[in-house]
Every structure is written in structure tokens, then in C-alpha cells.
Amino acid sequence: MIEGFREPVLSIQNLQKSYGINQVLKGIDLEVYKGEIIGYIGANGAGKSTTVKILLGLEDGYTGEVEIFGKQVSTNDIDYKRKIGYVPETAEVYDNLTAREYLTFIGELYGLDYEIVDNKAEKLMDIFGLSNVYDSRIATYSKGMRQKVLIISSLLHNPELLFFDEPINGLDANSVMVFKELLAQLAAQGKTIFYSSHIMDVVEKISNRIVLLNKGQIVADGSFEELKGKNMEGTLEQIFNQLTGFHEHKEIAEKFVSIVQGNE
Ligand code: ATP
């Protein structure tokens, strides 16, 4: 299909955002299309979570145009939110609830019937090996188990667009394999995925397009192969270091150890 004739699922034009005198986003332009898995990467503090929060309508006070499914995010139309799933970097899960209570509550917020969502949640918990704790309080879960509940909660309503912020934090190797495959299959079904993470080898493998944010600006946008060709580097980690101008990891570690040892 010719790109010019496709409607973007998500469109950002000249997005700028400041916190006080700290300009965090300095003019972001980005169009994302159906079925894409975007790996959104950048150093700590680059502005990734700020971008995602603006897209979700959780943050205002910005300038520029931000549209999802052709609707301005600033209008706060709740219809578009029904088509979105989100796994935040750090989530407030209602610890005192059981997974059954929590997931059915979330499902009902999205307008699903209790029976339907309960059935679906129980099956998804079973796939993640958690059927035996479906009725246990989330407070008793390990980190990885909680993360699985969050992933399930983002997918219960079969959303069109998914935002994942470090979604595999705490997941074991087998679960990561399942999750990566899940992303590929969701994208093949036409879902669009916005995936923000620091785990470069995973981003490299799962994304069909990588967007690198540096100090509030997009400094690279393309498939891994394209970025590799342009930067003549082998891994995404090396491309990331090159584009963010970072080469001092050894010196920084040496200084750190030296201070720890009381030599400085
Ligand atoms: P990380 O990889 O560490 O999660 P990030 O790229 O997601 O980083 P953001 O969380 O978007 O970065 O933060 C970008 C900048 O905005 C940082 O300098 C941060 O201090 C600042 N910032 C974020 N939220 C706020 C806030 N509510 N008030 C003031 N400053 C904020």
C-alpha cells in the first residue's frame, strides 16, 4: 500500500512539552501505521514516558498536534480509549484484590460483561501458569506474576492499539518468549504496538520499526536493518550508544568503583 494513502493510527506533529524550565519534548513528529511494532527507545529521562502519557491523555500542557484514530487526544473523547491497552512502567495494582476481582473490575470498566471477562481472564491466567492463584490476593504475587496480570489486563478488551512500557520487567525467560511471540501474532492480526523499553536485544528482535529519542528529539527512525546500515554498527545497543554519543561506560564504572572503595 502507498504510505501517503494510509490513515495513521497515531500521529504526532511538533509535540513540545516542558516541566517548568525543563523542556522535555522538543518537537516530536511521528506517524504510526496499523500493524507496526514501534520500539520506542531512549536514555533515562529522554522523554519516552512523557510521550506515552500524552498519547494516553494522562498529561496535558503540551503544544503540537496529537491524534489517535484520527481524533485529537486533547478533546478527551473516551471512545478512542476503549481501543487502547496500556501496561505502565510502574503500576498501582489494587493489591488487596484477587486477580479475579481485579481483572473483572478492569474488564467491566471497559464495558465487558462480568461472565465474559471472568471467563477470558481465567483462561489467560491459565496460559501464563497462574490458574492456581486466580483467587489469591495480588499482594501475595511475585513481581513477574503481577506483571503477567498487568499484561492480561491490557488485553482483555481486545484493543487495537497497545502501549507497553517495560512490559517484561520481572518475566522469566520462558514467559518472555511467549510474550514476544504474542506481540508478533497481535501485530499480524493488525494490532499496532508502541513498545518502550531499555532491553535492546528484545527491542531489536520484536520491533519492525525503531524510534530513538535523544534529549527530547527523535534522532533515528527506521527498521533495525536500516539503522544498522546507516550507522555501520552491529547491535542495537551499539547503534544506541553511537547515536546518543555515549562511549564512556568503562571510565564511569571505574570512577564509581573508586568512590565506593573510598579512593576519591
Ligand atoms: P526512563 O527511561 O528513565 O523511564 P523516560 O525517557 O521515560 O525515562 P520521562 O519519564 O519522560 O523519561 O522524563 C523526561 C524528563 O521529564 C525527565 O527529566 C523528568 O525529570 C521530567 N519529568 C517527567 N515527569 C515529570 C513531572 N511530573 N514533573 C516534573 N518533571 C517531570
Side-chain angles (χ1 to χ4, degrees):
M1 211 183 295
I2 304 166
E3 201 143 287
F5 292 92
R6 282 194 293 167
E7 269 276 294
V9 170
L10 186 164
S11 162
I12 301 176
Q13 280 166 43
N14 195 22
L15 174 62
Q16 302 192 33
K17 165 80 186 168
S18 298
Y19 291 107
I21 56 160
N22 182 14
Q23 191 182 14
V24 175
L25 300 177
K26 297 174 183 157
I28 305 276
D29 291 297
L30 184 64
E31 291 201 333
V32 176
Y33 294 89
K34 190 175 159 83
E36 284 188 320
I37 304 181
I38 304 289
Y40 197 53
I41 59 175
N44 295 135
K48 302 180 298 297
S49 298
T50 303
T51 316
V52 170
K53 282 190 220 149
I54 290 171
L55 286 164
L56 289 162
L58 301 173
E59 192 76 62
D60 44 23
Y62 57 84
T63 61
E65 300 291 316
V66 184
E67 288 185 3
I68 292 186
F69 305 116
K71 289 244 173 73
Q72 291 270 355
V73 168
S74 55
T75 57
N76 238 337
D77 176 314
I78 56 160
D79 267 354
Y80 86 88
K81 291 191 180 173
R82 284 187 206 283
K83 295 197 250 171
I84 292 176
Y86 177 40
V87 174
E89 189 176 18
T90 46
E92 297 292 328
V93 180
Y94 298 97
D95 261 9
N96 286 325
L97 300 184
T98 66
R100 187 194 300 272
E101 288 164 349
Y102 178 68
L103 291 171
T104 51
F105 169 65
I106 297 290
E108 286 182 308
L109 284 182
Y110 279 111
L112 302 173
D113 283 341
Y114 181 90
E115 302 294 335
I116 290 172
V117 69
D118 184 35
N119 191 271
K120 200 169 185 178
E122 190 159 16
K123 285 183 185 154
L124 293 173
M125 288 286 283
D126 188 36
I127 287 180
F128 271 147
L130 298 177
S131 55
N132 57 331
V133 292
Y134 190 40
D135 284 310
S136 304
R137 287 193 319 138
I138 294 169
T140 64
Y141 283 25
S142 72
K143 180 165 175 43
M145 288 157 77
R146 277 161 181 263
Q147 201 60 26
K148 289 176 183 174
V149 171
L150 286 176
I151 291 169
I152 292 171
S153 76
S154 73
L155 288 163
L156 284 171
H157 57 298
N158 193 21
E160 292 301 311
L161 172 60
L162 284 147
F163 290 95
F164 290 124
D165 203 346
E166 296 292 1
I168 58 171
N169 258 350
L171 291 197
D172 61 57
N174 296 345
S175 306
V176 169
M177 278 177 77
V178 173
F179 185 70
K180 284 199 282 193
E181 187 57 34
L182 184 73
L183 294 188
Q185 294 197 20
L186 287 168
Q189 301 286 324
K191 312 286 189 196
T192 307
I193 298 166
F194 200 92
Y195 188 99
S196 184
S197 174
H198 292 291
I199 308 175
M200 293 296 146
D201 55 337
V202 175
V203 173
E204 180 183 313
K205 289 201 185 83
I206 61 149
S207 316
N208 44 37
R209 183 173 157 201
I210 293 165
V211 175
L212 169 56
L213 193 66
N214 191 33
K215 300 184 180 132
Q217 282 176 317
I218 292 174
V219 294
D221 182 352
S223 68
F224 175 55
E225 295 305 323
E226 285 166 356
L227 299 194
K228 216 159 71 164
K230 265 191 200 148
N231 297 282
M232 292 180 292
E233 295 284 356
T235 65
L236 184 56
E237 185 177 68
Q238 288 165 336
I239 294 169
F240 183 91
N241 291 344
Q242 193 193 50
L243 289 172
T244 53
F246 184 76
H247 308 286
E248 310 83 29
H249 61 286
K250 264 204 183 123
E251 291 79 352
I252 290 173
E254 272 165 20
K255 193 165 174 65
F256 202 103
V257 171
S258 174
I259 294 169
V260 168
Q261 290 180 327
N263 298 333
E264 298 205 20

